[in-house]
Amino acid sequence: MEKKATREAYGKALVDIGKNELVVALDADLSGSTKSADFKKVYPNRFFNMGIAESNMVDVAAGMALSGLKPYASSFAVFVTGRAFEPIRQSICYPNLHVVLCGSHSGISVGEDGGSHQAIVDISLMRSLPNMKVIVPADYKETYAAVKASLDMEGPVYIRTSRAKSPVFTNSDNFELGKAQILKEGQDATIIACGMMSYLALEAAELLKKDNINLEVINSASVKPLDEDTVYNSAKKTGRVFTVEEHSIIDGLGSAVCEFLSEHHPVFVHKIGMEDVFGESGTKDDLFCKFGFTKEAVAQRIKDKLNG
Amino acid sequence: MDDFKNLEEISKKIRRNILIMLNKSGSGHSGGSLSIVDILVSLYFGGIMNYNAKNPNWEDRDRLVLSKGHACPALYATLAEAGYFDKELLWTLRKLGSPLQGHPDSKKLPGIEASTGSLGNGIAQAVGIALAAKVLKKKYKVFCIVGDGEMQEGLVYEALMAAGHYKLSNLIIIVDNNGLQIDGQVSDVMNVYPLKEKFEAFNFRVHEISGHVYNNIIDTLTTAKRNVISPTAVIARTVKGMGVSFMANRVEYHGVAPTDEELKKALEELK
């Protein structure tokens, strides 16, 4: 299967929506990594390098949105959501401005840079802000579709991309906010995942077939707003839910699912993610092994919980 | 000179309205609102800013961003005087449902260009508005009022760096240099001086003026509007609580509203 990094799709989509002359891109000295440099090559006059100053970049994007432009501001997920949290809150979310933020190099799959650079609370930070939409696409194709769709969304949007290459497996030509896809139907339990964990969830489900466990797998790239109907119907059908995300189990996708289900259809939910710990240096594969993000580890955990 | 007489009358009216609105709301920032009145009057009534109060979103308008958002009572009173909205609205300041929020909300009130209040964010948004003019090939100017205490926020320097880097000659920063902040004198709490050299280091053209002398303010801002080379900083020496003898230079009036008794005395002085 073809493998491509979701950040590559950000660059490509940005160039394509750049046909709209109101689109501007901003970066904080990481344009080669986030891929906003692709936009710079084609539209140098509408690209603004703001230097290593993420807070100012976000406020400048807000000012541009106030002036009628459509700003896309990118940096590593850890910086754009962490360092610039206050401008995001005050200047973008509070006045509900249409600014699209892209956090690349998310999760622990950024690898060797280590725990200081691994964004594992960015979904949590962005999800907590009123008006903010949070999108964690599963693959290159879905990222491309989401970035394109973001041009016509309202208010602030956070799109999370990854450094590492991952399988391109979705058929997401059109991205719809608040819509999840059922990747595989099943009746014994549901796995809800986002980002590159969606493919991992599919692989884990495949493994569990051997144990006669038939899982339903849902890709929920739209973490906020959550596709409540799909989550509700699946939870009702299977009665047991697992969530998998390359993020802390506190306040990420799993929490969003729990918040919804606890009120509307309380069932057993088990969250798989970073368990309130920071990552460390290592290759992506070594880190995924250590922190339990392999198909075998996920399958085993699900099996244990279902049998326990 | 007749013109300035007229401006003085307007400023008295605005100062009176600020004190009445603060008294009615029972909370808010008196001192820092009074210190920027003459700057605002110069901008809106001294022929500096191009605006159309009946068409507040006119795309070629000059913009004012009040980065020291806590001084919004002064801006609200000025906008009402300029005809942006009914003056009766002033008496709803800080009340539930009022478009006159405790700090400026661009979505709620015409004439408010940016939602500010968390210090440092306004000046950086002003940089974005000025940069947008270059993309959109617009000739509008962006004025931004910052507090001297606000100059302690690190974000301010990120914004100044970007303004200098992109040579935003359409950006005019006005520092309300009243020397006081909540906890005391700016130089005691966390010294931000010298300011002039800081702006110059970021490639700004700098003017130092009195923020209460009309010909001084208007001449300087007129010069600043003609600058096509660099952003401009106007460091305006002001008096916190200006216009009310017992509030002038008194840090105690930073974040409190006048009592009924104080209001009566103040209005007497501002007749």
Side-chain angles (χ1 to χ4, degrees):
Chain A
M1 189 180 296
E2 188 190 15
K3 283 186 165 189
K4 272 171 144 177
T6 52
R7 63 180 166 136
E8 306 278 352
Y10 178 70
K12 185 171 184 336
L14 208 51
V15 169
D16 290 351
I17 60 174
K19 285 182 206 109
N20 180 328
E21 290 185 352
L22 294 176
V23 172
V24 288
L26 302 93
D27 209 295
D29 195 39
L30 289 167
S31 60
S33 300
T34 63
K35 298 298 169 191
S36 66
D38 295 355
F39 181 90
K40 182 189 178 181
K41 267 183 228 133
V42 186
Y43 304 108
N45 297 329
R46 283 190 273 131
F47 174 83
F48 298 94
N49 204 324
M50 302 312 295
I52 310 166
E54 297 79 10
S55 296
N56 183 57
M57 172 177 74
V58 169
D59 268 325
V60 167
M64 289 173 149
L66 285 168
S67 314
L69 294 173
K70 293 181 176 293
Y72 281 69
S74 50
S75 181
F76 284 4
V78 73
F79 301 136
V80 74
T81 64
R83 298 200 71 121
F85 181 78
E86 172 57 11
I88 295 172
R89 182 196 68 82
Q90 163 77 39
S91 309
I92 292 180
C93 290
Y94 179 57
N96 198 19
L97 297 181
H98 184 40
V99 172
V100 180
L101 301 172
C102 175
S104 74
H105 294 60
S106 63
I108 59 168
S109 56
V110 59
E112 292 82 348
D113 277 353
S116 64
H117 280 54
Q118 294 163 354
I120 54 163
V121 299
D122 56 319
I123 297 175
S124 154
L125 288 170
M126 294 300 98
R127 202 170 75 81
S128 67
L129 288 166
N131 295 327
M132 180 60 90
K133 270 75 68 186
V134 180
I135 304 171
V136 186
D139 67 355
Y140 178 94
K141 224 172 161 186
E142 192 174 37
T143 306
Y144 180 81
V147 175
K148 271 194 103 166
S150 68
L151 186 61
D152 297 317
M153 290 176 191
E154 281 174 20
V157 180
Y158 175 62
I159 300 176
R160 186 189 211 227
T161 65
S162 300
R163 170 180 178 242
K165 289 184 173 158
S166 61
V168 184
F169 68 100
T170 64
N171 298 313
S172 309
D173 289 324
N174 294 300
F175 181 85
E176 213 180 318
L177 197 62
K179 278 271 173 283
Q181 301 103 40
I182 299 172
L183 299 174
K184 175 185 169 303
E185 294 201 22
Q187 54 281 325
D188 296 331
T190 302
I191 317 185
I192 304 172
C194 63
M196 63 172 89
M197 292 302 120
S198 289
Y199 187 74
L200 191 84
L202 264 182
E203 289 185 307
E206 196 58 39
L207 280 182
L208 288 172
K209 273 186 184 167
K210 287 178 211 134
D211 298 287
N212 281 327
I213 297 170
N214 192 1
L215 294 177
E216 180 142 299
V217 181
I218 293 173
N219 169 36
S220 181
S222 183
V223 173
K224 184 186 170 189
L226 191 68
D227 183 347
E228 296 181 344
D229 288 345
T230 300
V231 171
Y232 177 86
N233 290 332
S234 187
K236 206 168 174 189
K237 178 164 85 170
T238 67
R240 284 173 296 194
V241 174
F242 295 85
T243 61
V244 196
E245 60 196 308
E246 201 190 335
H247 184 271
S248 172
I249 53 167
I250 297 174
D251 273 348
L253 171 67
S255 296
V257 168
C258 286
E259 284 159 18
F260 171 72
L261 286 178
S262 64
E263 195 171 335
H264 298 277
H265 187 72
V267 293
F268 171 84
V269 179
H270 180 70
K271 295 183 284 186
I272 299 172
M274 294 294 283
E275 297 188 4
D276 202 17
V277 289
F278 286 106
E280 62 186 77
S281 287
T283 64
K284 174 204 137 203
D285 289 343
D286 285 349
L287 288 166
F288 273 10
C289 265
K290 169 159 183 174
F291 292 100
F293 297 109
T294 62
K295 58 186 173 187
E296 294 81 7
V298 169
Q300 189 61 49
R301 262 177 91 162
I302 292 174
K303 203 160 93 178
D304 291 348
K305 287 286 169 192
L306 290 181
N307 295 333
Chain B
M1 280 313 274
D2 283 354
D3 283 352
F4 295 152
K5 191 97 197 133
N6 177 37
L7 296 185
E8 272 156 28
E9 282 309 311
I10 295 173
S11 77
K12 267 191 193 171
K13 207 191 296 177
I14 288 174
R15 283 195 164 90
R16 286 199 296 268
N17 285 342
I18 290 171
L19 293 161
I20 297 168
M21 39 196 302
L22 284 166
N23 170 264
K24 282 184 191 286
S25 84
S27 71
H29 298 79
S30 302
S33 295
L34 292 171
S35 67
I36 63 166
V37 169
D38 299 310
I39 295 165
L40 288 172
V41 168
S42 301
L43 286 166
Y44 283 88
F45 303 100
I48 300 296
M49 278 176 62
N50 287 316
Y51 64 91
N52 180 350
K54 297 295 161 230
N55 183 11
N57 296 323
W58 172 42
E59 51 182 47
D60 293 316
R61 71 193 183 279
D62 291 336
R63 274 79 163 164
L64 172 79
V65 175
L66 184 63
S67 196
K68 49 169 292 184
H70 57 279
C72 58
L75 180 57
Y76 297 156
T78 303
L79 292 174
E81 194 62 36
Y84 279 88
F85 50 82
D86 191 331
K87 273 186 202 168
E88 288 302 309
L89 264 185
L90 291 177
W91 320 133
T92 67
L93 173 72
R94 287 177 168 244
K95 298 217 157 63
L96 188 65
S98 171
L100 281 69
Q101 292 286 296
H103 291 82
D105 184 333
S106 62
K107 289 275 161 161
K108 292 206 161 100
L109 192 66
I112 300 296
E113 298 290 356
S115 296
T116 57
S118 164
L119 296 175
N121 287 295
I123 185 171
Q125 289 184 75
V127 169
I129 298 171
L131 200 49
K134 307 258 169 187
V135 179
L136 296 164
K137 300 190 170 58
K138 293 281 177 193
K139 296 218 178 331
Y140 64 74
K141 305 285 178 191
V142 184
F143 298 89
C144 177
I145 301 177
V146 300
D148 46 6
E150 184 175 9
M151 297 295 292
Q152 291 160 353
E153 284 284 1
L155 176 51
V156 168
Y157 300 93
E158 292 187 7
L160 295 184
M161 185 163 45
H165 177 81
Y166 284 108
K167 300 185 174 63
L168 299 178
S169 58
N170 56 347
L171 178 67
I172 299 159
I173 310 271
I174 304 166
V175 184
D176 175 27
N177 184 199
N178 62 36
L180 296 174
Q181 61 186 113
I182 305 181
D183 273 356
Q185 292 200 26
V186 173
S187 53
D188 289 338
V189 174
M190 180 52 67
N191 189 17
V192 299
Y193 307 108
L195 288 176
K196 182 169 183 268
E197 287 79 355
K198 284 189 178 66
F199 281 104
E200 282 172 347
F202 289 109
N203 298 313
F204 275 65
R205 179 175 294 178
V206 186
H207 303 270
E208 289 181 293
I209 62 165
S210 160
H212 300 301
V213 179
Y214 285 113
N215 60 0
N216 211 199
I217 304 170
I218 291 169
D219 283 356
T220 306
L221 292 176
T222 304
T223 305
K225 279 174 69 178
R226 289 198 206 106
N227 183 353
V228 292
I229 299 162
S230 68
T232 298
V234 178
I235 301 169
R237 183 69 214 162
T238 55
V239 174
K240 197 158 189 159
M242 180 69 179
V244 179
S245 63
F246 58 91
M247 289 186 174
N249 274 323
R250 295 274 302 278
V251 77
E252 303 89 299
Y253 287 95
H254 173 94
V256 295
T259 61
D260 292 349
E261 192 58 34
E262 287 169 332
L263 177 67
K264 219 171 124 190
K265 267 169 75 183
L267 293 180
E268 199 59 39
E269 290 184 24
L270 287 164
K271 258 189 180 159

